[in-house]
Amino acid sequence: MKPQLAQQAKTVGDVAPGPFASFVRFVVCGGGIGVLSSGAVALLADAMPWAVANAVITVASTVLCTELHALFTFGTGKRAGWRQHWQSAGSATAAYAVTSLAVLILHLVQSSPGMLTEQIVYLSASGLAGTGRFLVLRLFVFAGGRDGGQDRDRAFVRKAAAARRRVAPVPTRLPNRVLTPAAFAVGS
């Protein structure tokens, strides 16, 4: 006889996390990688133009984050395929444009900002872009891997429709005779 705890752990792992849990996981994974990427961009920017350093780090962090999001954040239970990587790259390209534009505007407003100011602007833009990226990844890129909630919803709709079909039909028309008080008398 198998222990029940082992069976429960298996079924719990099959259900994808809800929106709030996914967002928390997204912030932990994506935010953690984002903070590390921020430092890496700053270090690489000493050796090459900032936009090139940002592009290199964005590509590397996108590949890593896509794998983490597939396995952990959105609970697909498998590694990301080429389709997810390409779609994730599209959302990362938009995030790259937002962060680059924010830092470009900072450099236009302030000719030589300090590293702290640059990091504040970069991380703020990353947070804004990350929120949009979460929505795109959850609703489009990894939506097919989340079967828990969608299958439950579909099953509920099917059961409700089946229950409606089993209900006896209620007559919508009264008979052609007129009901009088005498018709309700007992024994009539």
Side-chain angles (χ1 to χ4, degrees):
M1 179 169 201
K2 291 183 181 180
Q4 280 190 324
L5 288 176
Q7 292 172 347
Q8 289 174 349
K10 182 179 178 188
T11 58
V12 169
D14 292 341
V15 177
F20 181 74
S22 290
F23 186 72
V24 170
R25 291 175 179 191
F26 181 83
V27 169
V28 170
C29 290
I33 299 294
V35 169
L36 292 174
S37 297
S38 163
V41 168
L43 291 174
L44 273 181
D46 288 338
M48 60 184 71
W50 188 90
V52 175
N54 190 19
V56 168
I57 296 302
T58 298
V59 168
S61 65
T62 299
V63 171
L64 176 61
C65 281
T66 302
E67 290 295 329
L68 288 174
H69 292 324
L71 293 171
F72 181 68
T73 303
F74 300 109
T76 63
K78 57 186 177 189
R79 293 185 61 184
W82 283 107
R83 182 186 65 79
Q84 286 95 0
H85 275 289
W86 280 111
Q87 290 175 331
S88 183
S91 68
T93 301
Y96 169 77
V98 168
T99 56
S100 294
L101 183 64
V103 173
L104 176 68
I105 290 171
L106 171 66
H107 284 274
L108 291 174
V109 171
Q110 192 175 14
S111 61
S112 58
M115 183 186 253
L116 180 62
T117 304
E118 195 171 77
Q119 287 299 299
I120 290 170
V121 169
Y122 176 78
L123 289 174
S124 298
S126 291
L128 178 66
T131 302
R133 192 161 140 61
F134 169 77
L135 292 172
V136 168
L137 293 176
R138 176 149 177 95
L139 297 174
F140 300 106
V141 178
F142 294 109
R146 289 190 328 271
D147 58 350
Q150 291 175 348
D151 281 352
R152 257 193 324 266
D153 293 345
R154 286 188 198 114
F156 177 78
V157 169
R158 280 194 306 271
K159 286 179 184 177
R164 280 192 302 264
R165 285 191 298 268
R166 284 192 300 260
V167 173
V170 175
T172 57
R173 227 172 54 132
L174 290 175
N176 288 335
R177 61 188 171 137
V178 177
L179 296 177
T180 63
F184 291 107
V186 178
S188 45

